[in-house]
Amino acid sequence: SYDQTSWIFDPNITKRIDLTLPNATLTDFQNGNQGNVYQPGTFRMTNQSTPSSTPAPIQVGVRLKKGYGSYLPFGSLQNPSKSSLKIKFDSTVPEQRFFGLRKLTLNNMKQDPSLVHEWASYSVFRAMGIPAPRVAYASVYINNVHWGFYLTLEPFDAVSLSWNYPITEHLYEGLWTDRPPDLRSGRAAAAYN
């Protein structure tokens, strides 16, 4: 079947992402109150190779990614900090998709000065037939300020999992909190308390 998202994850296509965030969202991010709550914003991805076919901006939800090792405070428009971000396309418009995608992750790659480790690893896994996220790159602008060069990553969700698994009922993620994630007696019960 035709993959309408192929251009999004093509590393040979130069892309620009414009996020327009209202003052309330900027203030919330700068104050560190983001948690896992998506804040309102506008998203636009431009394919620099064919700008005439650029989709219109859409309303989305945006939040800071707080993953272990790559988290950076948000900063300000005068002093961008290249925070990793998560975009949810159906946060404000129910069932909205961006070329079939429900979510998109923008990784800052701060632990990789070469900017290729994640892309190379995921690409090798996929070439070997191991399910792995699709990735590419984009320049990200927030309120028309260049925030940095990011890895665009397709997060695991019902949409991306359907590419590899016809039926998926459960997806688990090990969270790094006060102790490394592992399977041991009592951990499941503790997670729900």
Side-chain angles (χ1 to χ4, degrees), residues 5-18 43-50 54-55 98 104 106 119 135-141 146 148-153:
T5 63
S6 61
W7 71 275
I8 296 171
F9 299 108
D10 185 338
N12 297 313
I13 295 176
T14 304
K15 292 167 288 291
R16 172 177 168 152
I17 294 174
D18 284 281
F43 172 93
R44 182 176 189 163
M45 181 181 275
T46 306
N47 175 348
Q48 299 294 291
S49 303
T50 56
T54 297
F98 182 73
L104 187 66
L106 306 176
W119 173 84
V135 293
Y137 296 100
S139 288
V140 175
Y141 290 76
H146 187 243
F149 191 64
Y150 281 76
L151 182 87
T152 54
L153 181 138

mmCIF file of all heavy atoms in Angstrom, residues 5-18 43-50 54-55 98 104 106 119 135-141 146 148-153:
data_model
loop_
_atom_site.group_PDB
_atom_site.id
_atom_site.type_symbol
_atom_site.label_atom_id
_atom_site.label_comp_id
_atom_site.label_asym_id
_atom_site.label_seq_id
_atom_site.Cartn_x
_atom_site.Cartn_y
_atom_site.Cartn_z
ATOM 1 N N THR A 5 3.431 8.914 4.338
ATOM 2 C CA THR A 5 4.383 9.557 5.240
ATOM 3 C C THR A 5 5.823 9.428 4.766
ATOM 4 O O THR A 5 6.726 9.908 5.440
ATOM 5 C CB THR A 5 4.284 8.953 6.654
ATOM 6 O OG1 THR A 5 4.643 7.568 6.581
ATOM 7 C CG2 THR A 5 2.914 9.099 7.247
ATOM 8 N N SER A 6 6.061 8.791 3.634
ATOM 9 C CA SER A 6 7.437 8.499 3.222
ATOM 10 C C SER A 6 8.297 9.763 3.123
ATOM 11 O O SER A 6 9.466 9.750 3.488
ATOM 12 C CB SER A 6 7.450 7.723 1.914
ATOM 13 O OG SER A 6 6.838 8.475 0.888
ATOM 14 N N TRP A 7 7.738 10.880 2.660
ATOM 15 C CA TRP A 7 8.531 12.112 2.548
ATOM 16 C C TRP A 7 8.954 12.652 3.913
ATOM 17 O O TRP A 7 10.013 13.249 4.048
ATOM 18 C CB TRP A 7 7.769 13.177 1.755
ATOM 19 C CG TRP A 7 6.591 13.777 2.478
ATOM 20 C CD1 TRP A 7 5.327 13.273 2.530
ATOM 21 C CD2 TRP A 7 6.577 14.989 3.232
ATOM 22 N NE1 TRP A 7 4.519 14.090 3.281
ATOM 23 C CE2 TRP A 7 5.266 15.154 3.722
ATOM 24 C CE3 TRP A 7 7.535 15.937 3.548
ATOM 25 C CZ2 TRP A 7 4.892 16.243 4.506
ATOM 26 C CZ3 TRP A 7 7.175 17.024 4.326
ATOM 27 C CH2 TRP A 7 5.856 17.166 4.794
ATOM 28 N N ILE A 8 8.130 12.411 4.923
ATOM 29 C CA ILE A 8 8.439 12.910 6.267
ATOM 30 C C ILE A 8 9.699 12.245 6.805
ATOM 31 O O ILE A 8 10.508 12.869 7.490
ATOM 32 C CB ILE A 8 7.247 12.675 7.217
ATOM 33 C CG1 ILE A 8 6.047 13.486 6.750
ATOM 34 C CG2 ILE A 8 7.613 12.991 8.663
ATOM 35 C CD1 ILE A 8 4.756 13.166 7.474
ATOM 36 N N PHE A 9 9.875 10.961 6.490
ATOM 37 C CA PHE A 9 11.011 10.201 7.026
ATOM 38 C C PHE A 9 12.080 9.918 5.974
ATOM 39 O O PHE A 9 12.896 9.025 6.148
ATOM 40 C CB PHE A 9 10.498 8.911 7.660
ATOM 41 C CG PHE A 9 9.566 9.181 8.798
ATOM 42 C CD1 PHE A 9 8.215 8.945 8.674
ATOM 43 C CD2 PHE A 9 10.036 9.722 9.984
ATOM 44 C CE1 PHE A 9 7.340 9.219 9.716
ATOM 45 C CE2 PHE A 9 9.171 10.007 11.025
ATOM 46 C CZ PHE A 9 7.827 9.753 10.895
ATOM 47 N N ASP A 10 12.101 10.700 4.909
ATOM 48 C CA ASP A 10 13.137 10.567 3.895
ATOM 49 C C ASP A 10 14.295 11.492 4.279
ATOM 50 O O ASP A 10 14.148 12.717 4.268
ATOM 51 C CB ASP A 10 12.583 10.953 2.518
ATOM 52 C CG ASP A 10 13.570 10.728 1.396
ATOM 53 O OD1 ASP A 10 14.798 10.675 1.666
ATOM 54 O OD2 ASP A 10 13.132 10.620 0.243
ATOM 55 N N PRO A 11 15.473 10.928 4.635
ATOM 56 C CA PRO A 11 16.591 11.782 5.061
ATOM 57 C C PRO A 11 17.179 12.622 3.925
ATOM 58 O O PRO A 11 17.977 13.522 4.176
ATOM 59 C CB PRO A 11 17.620 10.777 5.594
ATOM 60 C CG PRO A 11 17.307 9.505 4.900
ATOM 61 C CD PRO A 11 15.822 9.511 4.655
ATOM 62 N N ASN A 12 16.792 12.349 2.696
ATOM 63 C CA ASN A 12 17.298 13.111 1.558
ATOM 64 C C ASN A 12 16.447 14.337 1.243
ATOM 65 O O ASN A 12 16.793 15.102 0.348
ATOM 66 C CB ASN A 12 17.371 12.214 0.312
ATOM 67 C CG ASN A 12 18.338 11.073 0.521
ATOM 68 O OD1 ASN A 12 19.446 11.277 0.996
ATOM 69 N ND2 ASN A 12 17.909 9.870 0.189
ATOM 70 N N ILE A 13 15.340 14.503 1.950
ATOM 71 C CA ILE A 13 14.466 15.661 1.732
ATOM 72 C C ILE A 13 14.663 16.642 2.886
ATOM 73 O O ILE A 13 14.547 16.286 4.052
ATOM 74 C CB ILE A 13 12.988 15.229 1.644
ATOM 75 C CG1 ILE A 13 12.768 14.344 0.415
ATOM 76 C CG2 ILE A 13 12.076 16.444 1.600
ATOM 77 C CD1 ILE A 13 11.363 13.798 0.294
ATOM 78 N N THR A 14 14.991 17.881 2.539
ATOM 79 C CA THR A 14 15.176 18.923 3.541
ATOM 80 C C THR A 14 13.807 19.405 4.004
ATOM 81 O O THR A 14 12.970 19.790 3.187
ATOM 82 C CB THR A 14 15.964 20.110 2.948
ATOM 83 O OG1 THR A 14 17.187 19.614 2.425
ATOM 84 C CG2 THR A 14 16.231 21.165 3.994
ATOM 85 N N LYS A 15 13.603 19.364 5.324
ATOM 86 C CA LYS A 15 12.304 19.755 5.881
ATOM 87 C C LYS A 15 12.487 20.862 6.917
ATOM 88 O O LYS A 15 13.505 20.942 7.583
ATOM 89 C CB LYS A 15 11.621 18.548 6.519
ATOM 90 C CG LYS A 15 11.193 17.507 5.478
ATOM 91 C CD LYS A 15 10.804 16.192 6.106
ATOM 92 C CE LYS A 15 11.946 15.398 6.647
ATOM 93 N NZ LYS A 15 12.888 14.824 5.709
ATOM 94 N N ARG A 16 11.457 21.679 7.019
ATOM 95 C CA ARG A 16 11.412 22.722 8.042
ATOM 96 C C ARG A 16 10.113 22.556 8.800
ATOM 97 O O ARG A 16 9.049 22.394 8.191
ATOM 98 C CB ARG A 16 11.487 24.104 7.394
ATOM 99 C CG ARG A 16 11.248 25.238 8.381
ATOM 100 C CD ARG A 16 11.406 26.591 7.732
ATOM 101 N NE ARG A 16 10.893 27.638 8.620
ATOM 102 C CZ ARG A 16 11.331 28.881 8.628
ATOM 103 N NH1 ARG A 16 12.285 29.254 7.800
ATOM 104 N NH2 ARG A 16 10.809 29.766 9.456
ATOM 105 N N ILE A 17 10.206 22.591 10.119
ATOM 106 C CA ILE A 17 9.016 22.542 10.968
ATOM 107 C C ILE A 17 8.872 23.892 11.641
ATOM 108 O O ILE A 17 9.811 24.394 12.265
ATOM 109 C CB ILE A 17 9.117 21.425 12.024
ATOM 110 C CG1 ILE A 17 9.106 20.062 11.331
ATOM 111 C CG2 ILE A 17 7.991 21.542 13.051
ATOM 112 C CD1 ILE A 17 9.336 18.883 12.261
ATOM 113 N N ASP A 18 7.694 24.481 11.487
ATOM 114 C CA ASP A 18 7.377 25.732 12.168
ATOM 115 C C ASP A 18 6.330 25.456 13.227
ATOM 116 O O ASP A 18 5.241 24.958 12.914
ATOM 117 C CB ASP A 18 6.845 26.766 11.170
ATOM 118 C CG ASP A 18 7.957 27.373 10.335
ATOM 119 O OD1 ASP A 18 8.649 28.259 10.865
ATOM 120 O OD2 ASP A 18 8.132 26.944 9.180
ATOM 121 N N PHE A 43 1.280 23.737 14.022
ATOM 122 C CA PHE A 43 2.360 22.975 13.415
ATOM 123 C C PHE A 43 2.295 23.090 11.899
ATOM 124 O O PHE A 43 1.230 23.020 11.304
ATOM 125 C CB PHE A 43 2.210 21.501 13.819
ATOM 126 C CG PHE A 43 3.148 20.548 13.127
ATOM 127 C CD1 PHE A 43 4.358 20.210 13.706
ATOM 128 C CD2 PHE A 43 2.803 19.965 11.914
ATOM 129 C CE1 PHE A 43 5.223 19.317 13.082
ATOM 130 C CE2 PHE A 43 3.653 19.072 11.282
ATOM 131 C CZ PHE A 43 4.871 18.750 11.871
ATOM 132 N N ARG A 44 3.470 23.253 11.309
ATOM 133 C CA ARG A 44 3.566 23.223 9.844
ATOM 134 C C ARG A 44 4.903 22.591 9.466
ATOM 135 O O ARG A 44 5.939 22.994 9.987
ATOM 136 C CB ARG A 44 3.466 24.625 9.272
ATOM 137 C CG ARG A 44 3.512 24.638 7.762
ATOM 138 C CD ARG A 44 3.315 26.036 7.226
ATOM 139 N NE ARG A 44 3.149 25.990 5.781
ATOM 140 C CZ ARG A 44 2.645 26.966 5.080
ATOM 141 N NH1 ARG A 44 2.241 28.062 5.665
ATOM 142 N NH2 ARG A 44 2.535 26.845 3.775
ATOM 143 N N MET A 45 4.864 21.609 8.582
ATOM 144 C CA MET A 45 6.090 21.001 8.069
ATOM 145 C C MET A 45 6.190 21.315 6.582
ATOM 146 O O MET A 45 5.263 21.034 5.823
ATOM 147 C CB MET A 45 6.119 19.488 8.290
ATOM 148 C CG MET A 45 7.395 18.838 7.773
ATOM 149 S SD MET A 45 7.447 17.037 8.005
ATOM 150 C CE MET A 45 8.056 16.937 9.679
ATOM 151 N N THR A 46 7.324 21.894 6.201
ATOM 152 C CA THR A 46 7.553 22.288 4.819
ATOM 153 C C THR A 46 8.568 21.358 4.186
ATOM 154 O O THR A 46 9.639 21.137 4.748
ATOM 155 C CB THR A 46 8.105 23.732 4.759
ATOM 156 O OG1 THR A 46 7.233 24.586 5.469
ATOM 157 C CG2 THR A 46 8.235 24.205 3.333
ATOM 158 N N ASN A 47 8.227 20.821 3.043
ATOM 159 C CA ASN A 47 9.154 20.048 2.229
ATOM 160 C C ASN A 47 9.878 21.053 1.350
ATOM 161 O O ASN A 47 9.302 21.591 0.414
ATOM 162 C CB ASN A 47 8.375 19.029 1.393
ATOM 163 C CG ASN A 47 9.249 18.259 0.429
ATOM 164 O OD1 ASN A 47 10.398 18.596 0.188
ATOM 165 N ND2 ASN A 47 8.684 17.203 -0.141
ATOM 166 N N GLN A 48 11.141 21.345 1.677
ATOM 167 C CA GLN A 48 11.874 22.387 0.970
ATOM 168 C C GLN A 48 12.095 22.051 -0.505
ATOM 169 O O GLN A 48 12.352 22.937 -1.306
ATOM 170 C CB GLN A 48 13.218 22.637 1.662
ATOM 171 C CG GLN A 48 13.070 23.101 3.104
ATOM 172 C CD GLN A 48 12.425 24.462 3.222
ATOM 173 O OE1 GLN A 48 12.995 25.466 2.860
ATOM 174 N NE2 GLN A 48 11.209 24.495 3.740
ATOM 175 N N SER A 49 11.985 20.763 -0.863
ATOM 176 C CA SER A 49 12.173 20.366 -2.260
ATOM 177 C C SER A 49 10.971 20.747 -3.123
ATOM 178 O O SER A 49 11.121 21.047 -4.304
ATOM 179 C CB SER A 49 12.384 18.856 -2.362
ATOM 180 O OG SER A 49 13.477 18.474 -1.569
ATOM 181 N N THR A 50 9.775 20.699 -2.536
ATOM 182 C CA THR A 50 8.553 21.049 -3.271
ATOM 183 C C THR A 50 7.690 21.958 -2.405
ATOM 184 O O THR A 50 6.641 21.556 -1.910
ATOM 185 C CB THR A 50 7.757 19.779 -3.655
ATOM 186 O OG1 THR A 50 7.497 19.040 -2.456
ATOM 187 C CG2 THR A 50 8.508 18.921 -4.636
ATOM 188 N N THR A 54 3.230 22.374 0.102
ATOM 189 C CA THR A 54 3.271 22.442 1.558
ATOM 190 C C THR A 54 1.866 22.420 2.145
ATOM 191 O O THR A 54 1.012 23.204 1.743
ATOM 192 C CB THR A 54 3.989 23.732 2.013
ATOM 193 O OG1 THR A 54 5.333 23.673 1.555
ATOM 194 C CG2 THR A 54 3.974 23.857 3.520
ATOM 195 N N PRO A 55 1.623 21.499 3.104
ATOM 196 C CA PRO A 55 0.299 21.479 3.741
ATOM 197 C C PRO A 55 0.087 22.719 4.614
ATOM 198 O O PRO A 55 1.043 23.330 5.087
ATOM 199 C CB PRO A 55 0.328 20.203 4.595
ATOM 200 C CG PRO A 55 1.741 19.744 4.629
ATOM 201 C CD PRO A 55 2.498 20.441 3.568
ATOM 202 N N PHE A 98 -1.669 13.830 10.631
ATOM 203 C CA PHE A 98 -0.790 14.527 9.703
ATOM 204 C C PHE A 98 -0.203 13.468 8.788
ATOM 205 O O PHE A 98 0.653 12.687 9.196
ATOM 206 C CB PHE A 98 0.315 15.272 10.464
ATOM 207 C CG PHE A 98 1.231 16.066 9.566
ATOM 208 C CD1 PHE A 98 0.793 17.235 8.973
ATOM 209 C CD2 PHE A 98 2.524 15.635 9.323
ATOM 210 C CE1 PHE A 98 1.627 17.960 8.142
ATOM 211 C CE2 PHE A 98 3.366 16.360 8.501
ATOM 212 C CZ PHE A 98 2.922 17.532 7.905
ATOM 213 N N LEU A 104 4.455 12.840 16.631
ATOM 214 C CA LEU A 104 5.805 12.979 16.107
ATOM 215 C C LEU A 104 6.694 13.452 17.247
ATOM 216 O O LEU A 104 6.300 14.322 18.026
ATOM 217 C CB LEU A 104 5.831 13.994 14.958
ATOM 218 C CG LEU A 104 7.136 14.127 14.191
ATOM 219 C CD1 LEU A 104 7.456 12.844 13.423
ATOM 220 C CD2 LEU A 104 7.064 15.299 13.226
ATOM 221 N N LEU A 106 10.408 15.137 18.303
ATOM 222 C CA LEU A 106 11.540 15.920 17.825
ATOM 223 C C LEU A 106 12.662 15.780 18.843
ATOM 224 O O LEU A 106 12.628 16.401 19.904
ATOM 225 C CB LEU A 106 11.137 17.389 17.643
ATOM 226 C CG LEU A 106 9.919 17.645 16.754
ATOM 227 C CD1 LEU A 106 9.573 19.131 16.730
ATOM 228 C CD2 LEU A 106 10.154 17.125 15.354
ATOM 229 N N TRP A 119 19.795 7.953 13.930
ATOM 230 C CA TRP A 119 19.374 7.681 12.570
ATOM 231 C C TRP A 119 20.017 6.386 12.066
ATOM 232 O O TRP A 119 19.338 5.515 11.516
ATOM 233 C CB TRP A 119 19.738 8.854 11.651
ATOM 234 C CG TRP A 119 19.469 8.534 10.226
ATOM 235 C CD1 TRP A 119 18.271 8.643 9.570
ATOM 236 C CD2 TRP A 119 20.388 8.011 9.270
ATOM 237 N NE1 TRP A 119 18.403 8.216 8.268
ATOM 238 C CE2 TRP A 119 19.697 7.826 8.061
ATOM 239 C CE3 TRP A 119 21.740 7.678 9.322
ATOM 240 C CZ2 TRP A 119 20.304 7.331 6.912
ATOM 241 C CZ3 TRP A 119 22.350 7.181 8.180
ATOM 242 C CH2 TRP A 119 21.630 7.012 6.996
ATOM 243 N N VAL A 135 12.919 7.516 11.054
ATOM 244 C CA VAL A 135 13.543 8.768 11.480
ATOM 245 C C VAL A 135 14.054 9.550 10.283
ATOM 246 O O VAL A 135 14.321 8.989 9.222
ATOM 247 C CB VAL A 135 14.714 8.519 12.468
ATOM 248 C CG1 VAL A 135 14.222 7.953 13.775
ATOM 249 C CG2 VAL A 135 15.754 7.586 11.852
ATOM 250 N N ALA A 136 14.189 10.850 10.467
ATOM 251 C CA ALA A 136 14.792 11.740 9.473
ATOM 252 C C ALA A 136 15.221 13.001 10.221
ATOM 253 O O ALA A 136 15.415 12.957 11.443
ATOM 254 C CB ALA A 136 13.813 12.043 8.348
ATOM 255 N N TYR A 137 15.350 14.097 9.508
ATOM 256 C CA TYR A 137 15.812 15.345 10.119
ATOM 257 C C TYR A 137 14.950 16.516 9.675
ATOM 258 O O TYR A 137 14.342 16.487 8.606
ATOM 259 C CB TYR A 137 17.262 15.634 9.720
ATOM 260 C CG TYR A 137 18.254 14.617 10.220
ATOM 261 C CD1 TYR A 137 18.735 13.623 9.386
ATOM 262 C CD2 TYR A 137 18.707 14.661 11.529
ATOM 263 C CE1 TYR A 137 19.661 12.693 9.831
ATOM 264 C CE2 TYR A 137 19.632 13.738 11.995
ATOM 265 C CZ TYR A 137 20.108 12.757 11.145
ATOM 266 O OH TYR A 137 21.015 11.836 11.603
ATOM 267 N N ALA A 138 14.951 17.566 10.502
ATOM 268 C CA ALA A 138 14.268 18.811 10.149
ATOM 269 C C ALA A 138 14.867 19.959 10.940
ATOM 270 O O ALA A 138 15.338 19.775 12.072
ATOM 271 C CB ALA A 138 12.773 18.717 10.437
ATOM 272 N N SER A 139 14.839 21.141 10.357
ATOM 273 C CA SER A 139 15.167 22.363 11.094
ATOM 274 C C SER A 139 13.881 22.831 11.749
ATOM 275 O O SER A 139 12.845 22.929 11.094
ATOM 276 C CB SER A 139 15.695 23.443 10.152
ATOM 277 O OG SER A 139 16.986 23.103 9.712
ATOM 278 N N VAL A 140 13.951 23.107 13.048
ATOM 279 C CA VAL A 140 12.760 23.483 13.811
ATOM 280 C C VAL A 140 12.820 24.965 14.178
ATOM 281 O O VAL A 140 13.838 25.449 14.684
ATOM 282 C CB VAL A 140 12.621 22.614 15.077
ATOM 283 C CG1 VAL A 140 11.460 23.089 15.937
ATOM 284 C CG2 VAL A 140 12.438 21.144 14.692
ATOM 285 N N TYR A 141 11.705 25.634 13.900
ATOM 286 C CA TYR A 141 11.556 27.051 14.251
ATOM 287 C C TYR A 141 10.375 27.181 15.195
ATOM 288 O O TYR A 141 9.315 26.597 14.959
ATOM 289 C CB TYR A 141 11.287 27.895 12.999
ATOM 290 C CG TYR A 141 12.489 28.009 12.085
ATOM 291 C CD1 TYR A 141 12.865 26.942 11.267
ATOM 292 C CD2 TYR A 141 13.240 29.175 12.056
ATOM 293 C CE1 TYR A 141 13.966 27.034 10.440
ATOM 294 C CE2 TYR A 141 14.349 29.281 11.222
ATOM 295 C CZ TYR A 141 14.710 28.203 10.418
ATOM 296 O OH TYR A 141 15.807 28.296 9.597
ATOM 297 N N HIS A 146 14.882 30.156 14.986
ATOM 298 C CA HIS A 146 15.486 28.841 14.731
ATOM 299 C C HIS A 146 15.883 28.202 16.055
ATOM 300 O O HIS A 146 16.714 28.720 16.787
ATOM 301 C CB HIS A 146 16.710 28.987 13.819
ATOM 302 C CG HIS A 146 17.249 27.663 13.389
ATOM 303 N ND1 HIS A 146 18.501 27.229 13.727
ATOM 304 C CD2 HIS A 146 16.700 26.668 12.646
ATOM 305 C CE1 HIS A 146 18.711 26.023 13.212
ATOM 306 N NE2 HIS A 146 17.626 25.669 12.558
ATOM 307 N N GLY A 148 16.803 24.828 16.269
ATOM 308 C CA GLY A 148 17.884 23.874 16.046
ATOM 309 C C GLY A 148 17.545 22.835 15.002
ATOM 310 O O GLY A 148 16.454 22.814 14.431
ATOM 311 N N PHE A 149 18.513 21.962 14.768
ATOM 312 C CA PHE A 149 18.397 20.850 13.833
ATOM 313 C C PHE A 149 18.025 19.616 14.641
ATOM 314 O O PHE A 149 18.728 19.259 15.587
ATOM 315 C CB PHE A 149 19.739 20.663 13.107
ATOM 316 C CG PHE A 149 19.688 19.729 11.955
ATOM 317 C CD1 PHE A 149 18.915 20.009 10.837
ATOM 318 C CD2 PHE A 149 20.434 18.563 11.972
ATOM 319 C CE1 PHE A 149 18.899 19.146 9.755
ATOM 320 C CE2 PHE A 149 20.419 17.696 10.896
ATOM 321 C CZ PHE A 149 19.653 17.982 9.787
ATOM 322 N N TYR A 150 16.913 18.963 14.299
ATOM 323 C CA TYR A 150 16.346 17.891 15.110
ATOM 324 C C TYR A 150 16.220 16.589 14.327
ATOM 325 O O TYR A 150 16.066 16.599 13.105
ATOM 326 C CB TYR A 150 14.941 18.274 15.585
ATOM 327 C CG TYR A 150 14.902 19.218 16.751
ATOM 328 C CD1 TYR A 150 15.175 20.574 16.577
ATOM 329 C CD2 TYR A 150 14.574 18.771 18.021
ATOM 330 C CE1 TYR A 150 15.115 21.445 17.651
ATOM 331 C CE2 TYR A 150 14.515 19.642 19.097
ATOM 332 C CZ TYR A 150 14.796 20.985 18.902
ATOM 333 O OH TYR A 150 14.740 21.839 19.969
ATOM 334 N N LEU A 151 16.233 15.504 15.071
ATOM 335 C CA LEU A 151 15.853 14.207 14.530
ATOM 336 C C LEU A 151 14.337 14.096 14.652
ATOM 337 O O LEU A 151 13.786 14.302 15.739
ATOM 338 C CB LEU A 151 16.509 13.074 15.316
ATOM 339 C CG LEU A 151 16.195 11.675 14.789
ATOM 340 C CD1 LEU A 151 17.192 11.302 13.701
ATOM 341 C CD2 LEU A 151 16.274 10.656 15.915
ATOM 342 N N THR A 152 13.648 13.821 13.555
ATOM 343 C CA THR A 152 12.207 13.584 13.612
ATOM 344 C C THR A 152 12.005 12.079 13.733
ATOM 345 O O THR A 152 12.533 11.310 12.938
ATOM 346 C CB THR A 152 11.497 14.125 12.354
ATOM 347 O OG1 THR A 152 12.110 13.568 11.197
ATOM 348 C CG2 THR A 152 11.580 15.635 12.292
ATOM 349 N N LEU A 153 11.285 11.673 14.744
ATOM 350 C CA LEU A 153 11.141 10.256 15.073
ATOM 351 C C LEU A 153 9.668 9.896 15.176
ATOM 352 O O LEU A 153 8.893 10.621 15.806
ATOM 353 C CB LEU A 153 11.852 9.984 16.398
ATOM 354 C CG LEU A 153 11.838 8.570 16.918
ATOM 355 C CD1 LEU A 153 13.213 8.202 17.472
ATOM 356 C CD2 LEU A 153 10.806 8.396 18.003
#
